[in-house]
Amino acid sequence: GYTRDEFPDRVGTWLKYLHPEDAPLAMEAVQRHLDDRSGRTPYDIDYRLQLKNGSYRWFCARSATQRDAQGVPLRVAGSLADIDDQRRQQDDQRRQQDVLRVTLERFDRARGMLSEGLWDMEVIAGDPVNPKNPFWWSDQFRALLGFSDERDFPNVLDSWASRLHPEDKDRTIQAFAAHLNDASGRTPYHIEYRLQMKNGVYRWFRAQGATRRDA
């Protein structure tokens, strides 16, 4: 945003408008590039410069250096590109990822204190009993039945269905299907049944579920 008179052809001009937090890194990068007589240290850095209106924007600076036979710098030529929009998008993405990471960490901690076993299922083609429906059984769910991990209690419907008590199986599957097949969402899934533990013993459990539906 400057005129040539406002931004004279001097190194000090550039230094004057570097963001205070970026100036040491920018200067260090210049020095490393120039001091490496092998020419293998690139000068490629992002930093903020102050605009004429007082605000700062991100730029990417690159340069190449012509050297003599001993690698001593003779002339440096470079370029400056405005990357402010990309940097702000990246910063937003990082913030979103940080929020997601913290949220997941909190969820994991809270889940570890639950006495209930959580589960989740994706319904393929509206078929609630499709054996290919992707399932997720939480560690707590497995622990309630005496299992430890996915190896002895896989993420499939049959891991649960095959352990239903014979006297409870039909009504439990029917209640599950009735809940899922009611497009109005008014049929609850809230039922008690017996499940076989890993040690072969049956115990009573209370199960409930909520379903997210399309339009």
Side-chain angles (χ1 to χ4, degrees), residues 106-176:
R106 289 173 177 167
F107 173 73
D108 285 340
R109 287 196 298 269
R111 194 177 65 186
M113 295 183 289
L114 293 175
S115 59
E116 292 87 359
L118 305 180
W119 55 272
D120 180 83
M121 178 186 76
E122 180 183 349
V123 182
I124 296 177
D127 181 5
V129 293
N130 186 333
K132 294 184 180 179
N133 284 339
F135 255 89
W136 168 76
W137 306 106
S138 69
D139 291 340
Q140 286 82 356
F141 193 102
R142 293 185 174 95
L144 287 174
L145 299 176
F147 296 95
S148 57
D149 53 39
E150 190 176 347
R151 287 173 295 184
D152 57 356
F153 197 93
N155 281 319
V156 295
L157 175 65
D158 196 55
S159 294
W160 163 78
S162 65
R163 309 196 75 82
L164 284 165
H165 193 287
E167 295 177 3
D168 303 334
K169 187 169 187 175
D170 288 345
R171 66 179 180 86
T172 301
I173 297 294
Q174 289 170 6
F176 190 41

Side-chain angles (χ1 to χ4, degrees), residues 46-66:
D46 298 347
Y47 52 65
R48 288 161 289 184
L49 285 172
Q50 189 176 37
L51 307 185
K52 185 175 179 178
N53 63 13
S55 66
Y56 284 93
R57 287 184 71 83
W58 280 98
F59 295 87
C60 176
R62 296 189 178 98
S63 69
T65 298
Q66 180 187 2

